[in-house]
Each structure stands twice: as C-alpha cells, then as structure tokens.
Amino acid sequence: MGRVSISLDDLPLRDDLKGKKPYGAPQAPLPVALNVNENTHPIPESVIRDIVGDITHVLGDINRYPDREFTTLRESFAHYLGHDLTPDNIWAGNGSNEVLQQILQAFAGPGRTVFGFGPTYSMYPLLTQGTGAVWTEGTRDAQFQLTAEHAAQQVRDAQPDVVILCTPNNPTGTPLAIDVIEAVYDAAPGIVVVDEAYQEFAPHDAVSALTLLPGRERLMVSRTMSKAFAFAGARVGYLAAHPAVIDALRLVRLPYHLSALTQAAATAALRHAPTMLAMVDHIVQQRDRISTTLRELGFTPYESWSNFVLFGGVVDTAQTWQKLYDRGVLIRDVGIAGHLRVSAGTEAETSAFLDALASIESGL
C-alpha cells in the first residue's frame, strides 16, 4: 500500500489551533547554553548517590502503580515551604507547567478568560488556548513594573476567571510587590495564581505570596524544582493552596500522574535542600555580575530577582544573538524589541558570555 504524505495543515485540527506553533527555545550543542533559565550547576555527588539509592529501592515495586496521592512527597514539600502548610495544602505535577495546566482545566476552559500582565511567561497563553479558554493581557510600565492601583483596575475592567501573576516575572526578572498581589486578589472575581518559579533567587528578606494564603481560598502559589534545585530534567512542579483547591485539581489530573521514580527522586532531593540551595547564592552573584558588566558595556539591564537578566539597548537583536551564537554562546531573544535575555550560569559560563559580548561591542 502506497503512503500518502500529509502535513499538519491536512489534519482535522481544532480551528483555534490552526496556524499555531508549539512552545520551544532553540536547542543547540554549544559550549555555553544560557537561554532557558536552567540552573547550570551540577547536583552534588553526595545528593546524586542518595537519589539513586531511593530510586533503586522503588524499582523493587515498579510493577505496581505509584502512590496516587504522592503522600510522602507532599509532606516533604509542606516541610520545605513552611508557613504552617500541611500536605493537604500541597499539589504537585510533572513540572509547574502541568500544575498550571491542571489549574486551567479546573477553573478556565471554554467560555472563560485567563488574564496576565505582558510581557510574561509565554506558556500562559498556550496553556490557556490548549484548555479552550481565552487569554487576555494587561500592561506594565516602561520598567516592566506594576503598581497595586494600576494592576487592580485592569483586573476589575477585565473580570477574568483566572489571573496569573508571575513573580519574579519571566522574561523580565522584575519582582511583584506583595501589595500588588493583595490588590489583584481583592479585585479578581475568580482564581488568582502566583507563579513563584524563581522565588529562591529573590533577596532573602523578600516576602512570598505564601504569606497571603490564610483566609484567601481563591489564591494559589506555584513553585518548581527546575531552577533552584537544578532539577529541570526531572520535571517536578508543585502548588500550595486551600485544601478545597487541591480537591478540584484531583478532578482533572490523570491517574497516577506522578511516577514512583519522580516521587522518589524529588523526595530525596528535598531532604538535601540546604545543599541543593547552596548554589543559589553563587548564581545570584553571577546574575549581579552580569548586570554590572552590562551597564559598563552600555546596555540597560532590568532589576532581576531571578536567575537571569533581561537587558535593553541592543541595536540589532538578531545580529547580536547570531554573533554570540557564532562564539559558542546561546542566549534568548524573547521577542521584545531591542532586548535580549541571558541566564546566570557558572562563573566560567558567565565569563564566556561577557567576554563574547564585549568582543562584539569592540568589533573584534
């Protein structure tokens, strides 16, 4: 039987997905990859050995389904987060993107709207559309900041079913003051999600939205192990919220959605939280070093509480990106005119980026 070649356009795809492109950043085998906000520091050998030991133990029962409620992992997350949280307040998924998707499956969907302040994480509109809801976007000021009054008014005008606040914000790195979150919650008629994927890179005295959870049943705070815990390849995200919210997410989760291997690896890593987080201070040092050097080179870096720096003043973003690529350094063009974004890596990786950028600026 002869084969008939077809393309995506020939398939009976949903109308609202036609012409869309999947999320993805360039992947290339370059010596220095600083484009997707990974933690480029390797996990310490002592932690690896402990994780491997737990996974090996789990393999003895791998023929059985995992704990559907991932009880031990939820206990570990509650202990790590503190704030008097209990396992009943905790949910987890295969990366924070899956957790966000489950939130939208439960609280958004056809005929409903999801709201965020642009520019922000580019997966939010994709997750929204994937669940059949409509994404609407508010605005920030010229420094990508928000005031409580301006943010709340935009939410009151939009009347969305779900609001997603990213703090520190991706791709700008800018923080969101706690009074802004309070104001948005008071103005929102529905669910408010605070995405704190980069919270561990904020100043040690920064106030987390976790402090706002008591008495706010419509508030959720999501986190990830991908960044501070250097666990991007393990795909573990989690959420803190009222127990009723956790019950709602059970309605849409796939059966046994967290594998026994994932649960074991994440639980073991959380036992070593101080060791795993020790690298965060070093990453913050490299982030601040990047910002300082960028200013010296004539660029405009924005305040960042994350593990990356967005900088403006780039005359030709495509050309600068390509010249860095040709020098073995991969960073990110996030689609903001005149701006590029770079992750803070190891000291050697950071030096490689800064040296390559300086050579471009000097015409070498």
Side-chain angles (χ1 to χ4, degrees), residues 5-238:
S5 177
I6 66 170
S7 68
L8 182 62
D9 293 336
D10 299 314
L11 296 174
L13 196 65
R14 281 169 29 191
D15 288 341
D16 62 325
L17 294 181
K18 291 179 179 178
K20 300 295 181 181
K21 293 183 179 180
Y23 172 86
Q27 291 182 308
L30 294 187
V32 181
L34 301 173
N35 66 320
V36 288
N37 304 340
E38 294 163 321
N39 183 334
T40 63
H41 294 62
I43 294 176
E45 284 295 328
S46 60
V47 181
I48 290 177
R49 287 194 296 270
D50 201 28
I51 292 173
V52 170
D54 279 25
I55 290 176
T56 301
H57 178 74
V58 165
L59 286 172
D61 292 317
I62 205 67
N63 56 308
R64 302 292 188 179
Y65 284 116
D67 174 10
R68 185 176 58 238
E69 295 302 315
F70 44 98
T71 307
T72 301
L73 180 57
R74 288 165 62 207
E75 291 171 348
S76 298
F77 277 132
H79 176 74
Y80 170 69
L81 291 176
H83 295 280
D84 295 323
L85 294 169
T86 72
D88 289 339
N89 296 114
I90 303 298
W91 190 249
N94 294 286
S96 58
N97 284 331
E98 182 178 63
V99 174
L100 292 170
Q101 182 183 55
Q102 290 170 339
I103 292 170
L104 298 185
Q105 286 174 316
F107 297 102
R112 296 193 173 193
T113 58
V114 182
F115 182 92
F117 295 95
T120 193
Y121 184 33
S122 58
M123 271 302 297
Y124 298 154
L126 295 177
L127 290 169
T128 297
Q129 186 162 43
T131 58
V134 174
W135 172 259
T136 58
E137 198 162 87
T139 60
R140 301 171 182 266
D141 66 20
Q143 298 299 310
F144 305 116
Q145 301 281 1
L146 285 168
T147 65
E149 181 180 359
H150 187 221
Q153 187 58 55
Q154 292 186 72
V155 170
R156 280 191 291 268
D157 291 343
Q159 290 291 291
D161 297 283
V162 178
V163 177
I164 305 180
L165 302 173
C166 189
T167 179
N169 186 49
N170 181 11
T172 64
T174 45
L176 196 63
I178 205 75
D179 69 310
V180 177
I181 299 172
E182 291 180 285
V184 166
Y185 183 88
D186 291 341
I191 294 296
V192 176
V193 184
V194 182
D195 183 353
E196 290 189 341
Y198 300 93
Q199 182 65 25
E200 285 90 348
F201 300 96
H204 294 307
D205 60 353
V207 180
S208 166
L210 293 170
T211 62
L212 299 178
L213 285 174
R216 294 180 174 87
E217 293 78 11
R218 294 179 288 109
L219 182 66
M220 311 177 192
V221 182
S222 69
R223 294 276 187 99
T224 182
M225 295 185 74
S226 293
K227 312 302 181 181
F229 276 82
F231 237 49
R235 310 307 302 129
V236 184
Y238 55 106

Side-chain angles (χ1 to χ4, degrees), residues 307-327:
N307 69 338
F308 58 85
V309 178
L310 178 77
F311 59 100
V314 185
V315 176
D316 188 327
T317 54
Q319 185 180 74
T320 300
W321 184 93
Q322 186 62 53
K323 287 183 176 180
L324 287 169
Y325 184 97
D326 295 341
R327 287 164 171 78

Side-chain angles (χ1 to χ4, degrees), residues 226-356:
S226 293
K227 312 302 181 181
F229 276 82
F231 237 49
R235 310 307 302 129
V236 184
Y238 55 106
L239 170 83
H242 189 278
V245 169
I246 308 305
D247 285 339
L249 300 183
R250 287 188 175 93
L251 299 175
V252 297
R253 61 104 176 264
L254 294 174
Y256 311 103
H257 72 290
L258 277 181
S259 78
L261 304 180
T262 298
Q263 294 181 42
T267 302
L270 286 166
R271 283 201 303 269
H272 296 272
T275 300
M276 298 288 275
L277 295 176
M279 66 187 84
V280 168
D281 289 340
H282 179 75
I283 294 170
V284 168
Q285 291 174 1
Q286 298 307 311
R287 178 199 71 197
D288 294 344
R289 177 187 169 207
I290 289 172
S291 294
T292 298
T293 308
L294 285 170
R295 290 190 191 94
E296 293 171 352
L297 292 173
F299 295 101
T300 306
Y302 292 86
E303 179 184 16
S304 177
W305 283 17
S306 61
N307 69 338
F308 58 85
V309 178
L310 178 77
F311 59 100
V314 185
V315 176
D316 188 327
T317 54
Q319 185 180 74
T320 300
W321 184 93
Q322 186 62 53
K323 287 183 176 180
L324 287 169
Y325 184 97
D326 295 341
R327 287 164 171 78
V329 178
L330 184 62
I331 67 170
R332 188 74 174 267
D333 183 347
V334 294
I336 303 175
H339 294 72
L340 290 169
R341 191 192 71 192
V342 60
S343 307
T346 63
E347 183 176 358
E349 290 169 330
T350 299
S351 295
F353 160 69
L354 293 173
D355 290 347

